[in-house]
Amino acid sequence: MYLKELKLLNYRNYDSLHIEVHPKLNIIVGENAQGKTNVIEAIYLCAIGKSFRTNKDQELVKLDKKQAYIKAILEKANGEIEIEMKLDKEEKKKIKVNRIPLIKMGELLGNLNVVIFSPDDLKIIKGGPVERRRFIDNEICQIYPKYYYHLNQYNRILQQRNKLLKDNRGKKIDLDIWNHQLANVGAFIIYNRRKFIKRIGILAKLMHRKITDEIESLEIIYDSSIPVVEKDENNDITEKFLSELKRTCDEEILKKATVVGPHRDDLLIKINNMEVKNYGSQGQQRTAVLSLKMAELEFIKGEVGEYPILLLDDVMSELDTNRQQYLINNLKNIQTFITTTIIEQLKTKEINNRIFYVKKGEIRIKD
Ligand SMILES: Nc1ncnc2c1ncn2[C@@H]1O[C@H](COP(=O)(O)OP(=O)(O)OP(=O)(O)O)[C@@H](O)[C@H]1O
Ligand SMILES: [Mg+2]
């Protein structure tokens, strides 16, 4: 799939923008704070329905305006898709796909697939478990809308269950009904996360081996707070989840919170058997993220049948020449958007591209 056109009205620092983009490589050049990432963010928004920089839609609307509008036209194997989004400082955003208004936000997922790679992604390695769970959840939601609904449901049940634990101030309460709901939905989440990590783990291992000239072996393991094993199906996980809830009952009352479940799970990312988070060099950490991102591209291709769009925000200058070259060589069939402050540093000269120069929310094109 690839983006053909992007239109922005009153979005961030753009009054009005209408660009036709290149089916392969688009390079967005400009000094700091000119509006490069804003373009990437708008594309991401059309895919996921929310920004990767903020949860507050009102921040996306130009400061002195009330409403913003985004339109993206894409080409997919089975035809053209038009995504429109109206953002309002006071109301919920409204989305249309091929002019049909969406009732639930989740309906947007699956129309446009993207993989984003920005310096912030180092958090997948260096940050806390929240970052790694967010990474997994975002990826699965994109290709499996049912997961998105289950995740929302899980968080609602968890919130209510935690509220009961808090309100009861240390007294024993009957949480039986809640436990069953939590375990049922939670097992679905754990099962799918494990499945996803297994697939993406194999792909990332392959990528990593190639990038490091066969020297390093990357391993990604889903580290669950529920003692699941390889062959566990959904209902096995539900049973284990339930018995863990029973086992931790006293601890829960003490801590006034649910202490096991997918909301407490994590990922272990290892290179040559050592955790990258604690033992990896800066370069190894970056390379591990690069391998993960490359794996995501292949994973989505495998699931959806088409490559997603790749958004590279400010990462090229962080990679050494070999890594840049490896990335570029692997992007031949993938529409890519690269932002950079210095175009001379990019090793992309041999590929057909379109260059966009950004200055104060205005774009000039050079073919
Ligand atoms: N809601 C808004 N209304 C008006 N301007 C905004 C709004 N939100 C952000 N901006 C402006 O957008 C600019 C930042 O844009 P962006 O993040 O795209 O910059 P960039 O070109 O990617 O810069 P860098 O190279 O530093 O990453 C800033 O000047 C900021 O003040
Ligand atoms: Mg930026």
Side-chain angles (χ1 to χ4, degrees):
M1 66 186 73
Y2 64 93
L3 186 68
K4 293 204 290 196
E5 283 177 49
L6 180 71
K7 208 170 166 177
L8 304 178
L9 285 176
N10 301 330
Y11 184 83
R12 292 278 197 190
N13 67 338
Y14 289 91
D15 281 321
S16 156
L17 173 81
H18 186 181
I19 48 172
E20 284 178 18
V21 299
H22 196 275
K24 291 281 167 329
L25 184 57
N26 294 279
I27 303 171
I28 305 170
V29 196
E31 290 176 5
N32 292 133
Q34 302 304 307
K36 302 183 297 296
T37 304
N38 292 346
V39 175
I40 299 276
E41 185 186 40
I43 300 171
Y44 184 91
L45 205 67
C46 290
I48 313 292
K50 61 176 195 219
S51 164
F52 54 88
R53 295 198 286 193
T54 176
N55 285 325
K56 295 184 193 121
D57 285 344
Q58 61 270 33
E59 286 176 18
L60 308 173
V61 180
K62 195 151 197 256
L63 277 186
D64 51 349
K65 298 292 189 328
K66 188 178 168 297
Q67 280 189 336
Y69 171 81
I70 307 173
K71 177 156 133 182
I73 300 177
L74 22 138
E75 189 67 43
K76 290 178 69 167
N78 49 5
E80 197 176 271
I81 291 190
E82 184 186 280
I83 299 171
E84 290 170 282
M85 202 171 280
K86 212 179 254 170
L87 302 154
D88 193 299
K89 278 193 179 148
E90 274 138 39
E91 289 169 35
K92 251 184 91 181
K93 65 174 157 288
K94 296 189 176 72
I95 308 175
K96 285 184 189 169
V97 174
N98 290 338
R99 297 187 188 81
I100 299 167
L102 304 187
I103 297 161
K104 288 186 194 162
M105 282 303 142
E107 292 171 37
L108 176 68
L109 298 166
N111 285 294
L112 167 60
N113 293 109
V114 295
V115 168
I116 186 163
F117 184 10
S118 79
D120 245 18
D121 284 313
L122 261 187
K123 284 192 198 151
I124 300 172
I125 307 278
K126 294 210 275 195
V130 175
E131 306 289 344
R132 286 179 284 282
R133 288 194 296 266
R134 183 178 301 142
F135 158 73
I136 312 177
D137 291 340
N138 279 346
E139 289 324 306
I140 310 178
C141 284
Q142 259 204 70
I143 47 128
Y144 193 21
K146 199 172 159 190
Y147 182 87
Y148 169 83
Y149 295 115
H150 275 75
L151 195 63
N152 284 343
Q153 201 188 351
Y154 181 83
N155 288 329
R156 269 199 308 275
I157 303 168
L158 181 69
Q159 244 179 26
Q160 286 166 334
R161 194 176 182 279
N162 281 343
K163 189 173 180 307
L164 279 175
L165 285 163
K166 263 196 195 83
D167 290 350
N168 249 0
R169 299 187 194 166
K171 278 186 254 123
K172 271 217 184 273
I173 32 166
D174 185 7
L175 289 170
D176 231 33
I177 301 169
W178 294 101
N179 290 359
H180 277 92
Q181 287 191 22
L182 195 76
N184 264 320
V185 186
F188 175 91
I189 292 169
I190 295 177
Y191 179 79
N192 281 287
R193 281 187 184 168
R194 281 169 52 85
K195 200 165 124 190
F196 166 73
I197 290 304
K198 199 172 164 194
R199 301 253 334 258
I200 202 111
I202 295 170
L203 292 165
K205 191 187 182 91
L206 265 164
M207 297 292 167
H208 199 85
R209 197 175 280 160
K210 273 194 217 155
I211 305 175
T212 61
D213 283 330
E214 317 277 320
I215 292 172
E216 292 182 1
S217 171
L218 178 72
E219 202 184 351
I220 304 171
I221 303 148
Y222 188 72
D223 185 19
S224 184
S225 54
I226 309 293
V228 279
V229 292
E230 180 75 33
K231 60 170 184 30
D232 279 349
E233 294 291 334
N234 242 316
N235 48 346
D236 304 313
I237 305 175
T238 309
E239 288 308 315
K240 287 184 179 175
F241 200 154
L242 277 172
S243 64
E244 279 303 291
L245 286 172
K246 271 210 189 86
R247 189 183 65 79
T248 56
C249 163
D250 290 340
E251 191 185 342
E252 280 188 331
I253 290 169
L254 203 71
K255 292 192 174 153
K256 302 188 185 70
T258 310
V259 295
V260 289
H263 64 289
R264 289 288 174 105
D265 292 356
D266 200 355
L267 276 185
L268 295 177
I269 304 173
K270 294 182 179 176
I271 290 178
N272 296 346
N273 246 332
M274 282 184 285
E275 255 202 275
V276 189
K277 186 183 173 152
N278 305 324
Y279 298 99
S281 71
Q282 291 271 22
Q284 277 178 318
Q285 294 179 346
R286 275 191 204 140
T287 310
V289 181
L290 175 63
S291 305
L292 259 183
K293 295 287 157 180
M294 306 287 294
E296 270 182 55
L297 294 170
E298 294 304 325
F299 173 75
I300 294 179
K301 167 83 175 13
E303 290 292 315
V304 181
E306 289 182 77
Y307 276 114
I309 295 174
L310 178 63
L311 308 172
L312 300 174
D313 190 22
D314 256 347
V315 283
M316 287 311 248
S317 58
E318 305 239 330
L319 300 172
D320 64 25
T321 316
N322 281 342
R323 306 271 195 278
Q324 273 199 35
Q325 204 64 57
Y326 182 83
L327 183 57
I328 295 297
N329 289 342
N330 279 278
L331 295 183
K332 300 223 166 82
N333 297 314
I334 302 171
Q335 188 186 37
T336 306
F337 290 80
I338 297 178
T339 70
T340 181
T341 47
I342 314 161
I343 189 150
E344 287 74 23
Q345 277 186 359
L346 289 181
K347 307 276 176 263
T348 54
K349 299 188 179 68
E350 65 270 36
I351 296 182
N352 249 337
N353 61 40
R354 187 163 299 164
I355 303 174
F356 298 91
Y357 290 94
V358 184
K359 200 165 184 183
K360 290 188 188 151
E362 283 185 20
I363 284 189
R364 198 163 50 81
I365 299 166
K366 187 180 157 227
D367 255 315

